[in-house]
Amino acid sequence: MKVKLVSFAILSVFLLVVPTIAFAEGTGVGYGTITPGRLLTIAAALIGLCSAVAAGITLARPTGRLATGKWSSVMSIVLSLFCVLLSAFHLAVTPGGFNTGNGRAGAIIAIAIGLIGLLLAGTAWTRSLRNK
């Protein structure tokens, strides 16, 4: 039941963030100004963080109430891959350098978070396969 609740929360956040990214307007690039590029990388980093937390819970408690072993590790792998691919695509298509408001530094950080989540999720998945 809790896994369904967590997946519903992740889906709800994703459905709320995507329209915000699509319709956000950058009026000026200043310190602390949220531009669409920065918002996209923040969303990717949050998705990667959710995958890393879910994989960490799966590693810590493989038969607990929240983590059911194989299912939560596969969910973490999918979220991590989505985070890495979204950030890499954003990093590839954004023009300009750092401090332009495009979110390039955030994309690099989101890739690192996604790779950490992918490493944890892969470890949890192989452990769940070995425990069969």
Side-chain angles (χ1 to χ4, degrees):
M1 186 67 176
K2 296 237 181 194
V3 174
K4 290 181 182 179
L5 181 63
V6 169
S7 61
F8 175 73
I10 291 170
L11 181 66
S12 298
V13 166
F14 183 68
L15 289 176
L16 290 175
V17 168
V18 170
T20 306
I21 293 169
F23 298 112
E25 294 181 20
T27 56
V29 180
Y31 180 75
T33 303
I34 301 294
T35 60
R38 289 177 181 169
L39 193 61
L40 180 69
T41 57
I42 289 170
L46 287 176
I47 291 170
L49 188 62
C50 288
S51 72
V53 167
I57 290 173
T58 305
L59 278 174
R61 302 182 188 271
T63 58
R65 289 178 285 162
L66 180 63
T68 59
K70 188 175 180 182
W71 188 87
S72 62
S73 60
V74 170
M75 178 192 68
S76 298
I77 288 172
V78 169
L79 285 175
S80 297
L81 283 175
F82 181 72
C83 171
V84 170
L85 291 176
L86 179 68
S87 300
F89 177 74
H90 180 73
L91 193 61
V93 300
T94 53
F98 296 110
N99 203 18
T100 58
N102 291 333
R104 292 181 65 86
I108 293 170
I109 292 171
I111 287 173
I113 292 172
L115 289 176
I116 291 169
L118 191 61
L119 180 70
L120 289 173
T123 305
W125 185 54
T126 55
R127 186 180 290 177
S128 72
L129 291 177
R130 192 174 43 194
N131 289 338
K132 279 187 166 182

